[in-house]
């Protein structure tokens, strides 16, 4: 048996599956999970698919105290023909290792991790829903498990993958959201962990999110942590603006997450010969473009919602109503094309989709 | 039975206790732990002392994904007379609630939390070691336990307290350490979570720590995240400098942890009529004072090591050798007095110590 042989213990008590049109995001989980252990002596070892079950850890396990953990998020899609496919899993595993490096977690074999995900999705393939816009959300994550209260990298880890059948992120399909610019709290700063997909970034974002949601905003738009001038990202998405025909997204600077959907949007726009630029952009510039009638569209990009048009942006007392609060043309085209490629109804000229068995 | 009645299930299989002179930091745990549950319907409920046991959580529990967690660290000390006492537990629980607020975790009744800690320490009182410099480290922490992958505050939490008998932080007693100024990585920034005691702050610090420890430095000195000019704190301690007789510590600014030992040092220095100032201080100013022969002492303050003299500070190519690499007079006096109060051998004029039954 090779070190890469995945053992499988089948779940003898499968759960009832929720109806495809009753799904919510991240509430239901499938019958199996993937587990892979790390110790200093053995490296990554004992890859296995087992019945979905609780994680049992010593109360001193380092994950509970010092947050040494990373995660990824991707999806499996069921095509009209009934095949199952993933979208760019190589980008997720590449990023997982970049996050690992920042968090002092030992690297994972990326190809093997993709195979493990495929294997797990195959075992739980009946859980991949088939209603319009639904998919199987895949959550790989790594946690530090050594029971030790010293502030040091852990000597033990678990790499775990769980699966969750999810509905369309917005029940009514693609729909403009209202976003508030955050002027007090900071998500990340250069030299911090903003580029890594690690728990602490999300923990620190909860407070700002809680405040604006009381005021009716879906998410916050984060500015840079240094001058609170430059636009960074929206809640848990990257962000794009169309100004006088040019599509602009903040350049990766060490504190912005290198989104897989962000990258796909950029490649798609280039493929369409639409002008797209990665550069710094301030709220001042955006507001000026708005006042000059030059801000044509704004949208977020991410795995969960794919493309999320921004219909309103609140910046202090100012309210920018974008594309008359409607979904813009480029947003719609990107959404249709990306979801089309993901679900196999639109040709994939990039080789982004990967079949599961 | 009041909502505050703590039920106790005794551990019928107590572990052998490590010898008092063999203790390490955070490696051994006692026979019992305290658990307190939170749900939206019941609030904080079911406080209980149970045998030390694993935490069992759904793999989708939010602590594993979004890092919504806070913790505290304090100690129980055995006096020469055999009594057990805590040091300023009210300050820890006050800070726990400030951390809770920043992390969107429901507040804890501070007085009840202190009582829970006292009760638990009493149950495991045989674990409070009596060798010179040893103590019982107390780790209260709260974790988000709702199984849900949405980025939202959890609707379920556990407040847990575990205990660990610990040796003197430095085996040879108070000893100067070598510290490297960190110029690349950032621990925290205003608007972030630096002031809160939350896992993500420690996760983000591991990388810098790993790099300098290879070069022989014990910890890093963090500069502010904005300009990398102003001194913030040392590794997991606050920091003080004595320049021309004046003792200076960076003022609390939202990104510096409000240390209990820091506060005690300030109060003690004032009690002694020594000049102590909380203000911003740059590495430039420190280096200039050093070159002028005016930097007389430097030390860190924290629960684990109490006072940790800094014998060498590396800043890029520069090496500042402080107090000839020895322990300074004020550092020594603070260490002796603070540990004296903690262990009950020095009078406590402040009412800082709290007896356990």
């Amino acid at each position: 048996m090779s070190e890469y042989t995945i053992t499988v213990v089948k779940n003898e008590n499968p759960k009832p599956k929720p109806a495809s049109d009753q799904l919510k995001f991240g509430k239901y989980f499938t019958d199996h999970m993937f587990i892979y252990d790390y110790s200093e002596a053995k490296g990554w070892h004992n890859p296995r698919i087992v019945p979905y079950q609780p994680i049992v850890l010593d109360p001193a396990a380092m994950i509970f105290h010092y947050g040494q953990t990373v995660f990824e998020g991707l999806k499996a899609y069921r095509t009209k023909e009934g095949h199952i496919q993933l979208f760019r899993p190589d980008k997720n595993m590449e990023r997982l290792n970049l996050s690992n490096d920042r968090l002092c977690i030992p690297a994972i074999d990326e190809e093997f991790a993709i195979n493990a995900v495929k294997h797990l999705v195959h075992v739980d393939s009946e859980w991949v829903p088939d209603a319009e816009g639904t998919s199987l959300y895949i959550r790989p994550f790594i946690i530090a498990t050594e029971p030790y209260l010293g502030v040091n990298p852990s000597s033990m880890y678990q790499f775990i993958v769980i699966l969750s059948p999810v509905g369309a992120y917005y029940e009514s399909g693609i729909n403009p959201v209202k976003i508030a610019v955050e002027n007090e709290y900071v998500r990340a700063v250069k030299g911090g962990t903003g580029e890594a997909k690690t728990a602490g970034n999300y923990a620190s974002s909860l407070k700002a999110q809680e405040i604006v949601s009381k005021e009716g905003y879906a998410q916050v738009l984060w500015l840079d942590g240094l001058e609170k001038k430059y636009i960074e990202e929206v809640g848990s998405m990257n962000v794009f603006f169309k100004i006088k025909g040019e599509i602009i997204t903040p350049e990766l600077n060490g504190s912005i997450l290198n989104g897989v959907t962000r990258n796909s949007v950029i490649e798609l726009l280039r493929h369409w010969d639409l002008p797209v630029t990665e550069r710094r952009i301030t709220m001042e510039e955006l507001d000026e473009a708005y006042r000059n009638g030059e801000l044509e569209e704004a949208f977020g990009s991410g795995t969960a919602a794919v493309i999320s048009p921004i219909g309103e942006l609140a910046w202090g007392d100012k309210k920018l109503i974008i594309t008359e609060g409607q979904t813009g043309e480029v947003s719609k085209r990107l959404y249709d094309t990306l979801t089309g490629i993901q679900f196999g109804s639109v040709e994939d000229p990039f080789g982004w989709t990967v079949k599961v068995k």
Side-chain angles (χ1 to χ4, degrees), chain A:
Chain A
M1 204 168 84
S2 123
E3 60 182 306
Y4 285 152
T5 304
I6 299 174
T7 60
V8 180
V9 178
K10 280 286 200 136
N11 191 333
E12 301 296 340
N13 296 295
K15 290 174 275 201
K17 294 175 187 63
S20 257
D21 57 355
Q22 298 289 312
L23 295 169
K24 294 184 171 16
F25 186 85
K27 282 279 188 192
Y28 304 105
F29 298 92
T30 67
D31 289 321
H32 297 86
M33 63 197 286
F34 173 79
I35 309 180
Y36 198 20
D37 298 321
Y38 178 90
S39 68
E40 279 176 353
K42 294 186 177 179
W44 288 107
H45 65 282
N46 193 15
R48 56 200 186 275
I49 289 170
V50 295
Y52 189 86
Q53 60 192 265
I55 296 174
V56 178
L57 290 175
D58 192 287
M62 293 172 87
I63 174 64
F64 295 130
H65 304 274
Y66 306 127
Q68 201 191 3
T69 177
V70 296
F71 72 91
E72 274 301 327
L74 66 163
K75 286 175 174 173
Y77 306 86
R78 191 177 289 280
T79 68
K80 282 244 159 61
E81 295 75 35
H83 300 306
I84 296 168
Q85 57 190 26
L86 307 178
F87 183 74
R88 311 190 78 181
D90 54 320
K91 298 296 275 183
N92 291 93
M93 295 311 171
E94 184 187 322
R95 186 173 61 188
L96 185 69
N97 268 340
L98 291 173
S99 300
N100 278 339
D101 181 65
R102 181 63 183 82
L103 274 296
C104 302
I105 296 174
I108 282 269
D109 181 319
E110 294 170 24
E111 213 180 301
F112 175 68
I114 296 170
N115 282 335
V117 164
K118 284 160 119 178
H119 198 144
L120 178 65
V121 170
H122 178 71
V123 168
D124 272 337
S125 57
E126 285 174 27
W127 281 88
V128 185
D130 56 11
E132 176 79 24
T134 63
S135 55
L136 186 71
Y137 184 79
I138 303 165
R139 170 57 56 93
F141 62 107
I142 301 177
I143 52 175
T145 57
E146 183 186 355
Y148 173 42
L149 295 184
V151 182
N152 284 302
S154 176
S155 65
M156 293 159 62
Y157 301 87
Q158 281 199 315
F159 173 60
I160 296 172
V161 185
I162 57 175
L163 306 174
S164 173
V166 297
Y169 198 78
Y170 297 108
E171 282 168 26
S172 43
I174 183 174
N175 248 333
V177 291
K178 290 165 73 176
I179 302 287
V181 179
E182 177 57 46
N183 289 307
E184 185 183 351
Y185 292 103
V186 169
R187 176 188 166 274
V189 69
K190 193 171 176 330
T193 55
E195 215 173 20
K197 217 164 164 70
T198 183
N201 295 340
Y202 296 81
S204 73
S205 78
L206 294 173
K207 186 81 179 174
Q209 173 68 34
E210 189 179 64
I211 292 167
V212 302
S213 69
K214 279 178 194 153
E215 293 159 8
Y217 293 95
Q219 306 226 337
V220 300
L221 178 72
W222 296 107
L223 302 181
D224 76 282
L226 300 189
E227 302 177 66
K228 305 229 173 76
K229 252 174 81 173
Y230 298 98
I231 293 170
E232 297 228 312
E233 56 187 272
V234 169
S236 48
M237 299 186 288
N238 292 113
V239 68
F240 290 78
F241 302 99
K242 182 160 167 264
I243 298 177
K244 284 200 292 183
E246 183 192 13
I247 298 142
I248 300 158
T249 191
E251 66 187 2
L252 301 179
N253 61 355
S255 57
I256 293 176
L257 191 79
N258 184 357
V260 177
T261 312
R262 174 187 183 279
N263 177 278
S264 307
V265 165
I266 293 169
E267 292 202 31
L268 212 43
L269 291 171
R270 289 200 180 124
H271 183 70
W272 291 339
D273 279 332
L274 291 178
V276 53
T277 315
E278 298 174 72
R279 66 165 170 89
R280 302 220 287 181
I281 177 167
T282 62
M283 262 314 295
E284 280 291 352
E285 180 184 343
L286 197 73
D287 183 50
E288 198 185 316
Y290 175 71
R291 281 183 283 112
N292 295 338
E294 296 167 354
L295 174 56
E296 297 154 356
E297 287 187 46
F299 59 91
S301 72
T303 294
V306 190
I307 298 294
S308 200
I310 300 171
E312 181 185 322
L313 197 57
W315 184 34
D317 294 335
K318 295 182 183 177
K319 283 201 199 317
L320 287 61
I321 309 296
I322 306 167
T323 335
E324 297 174 340
Q326 305 298 308
T327 297
E329 209 179 298
V330 172
S331 308
K332 184 74 171 71
R333 187 176 173 198
L334 282 166
Y335 180 82
D336 289 343
T337 308
L338 280 169
T339 55
I341 291 173
Q342 288 164 343
F343 285 96
S345 62
V346 167
E347 198 207 344
D348 169 16
F350 307 98
W352 283 342
T353 50
V354 175
K355 287 252 177 321
V356 174
K357 276 232 197 152

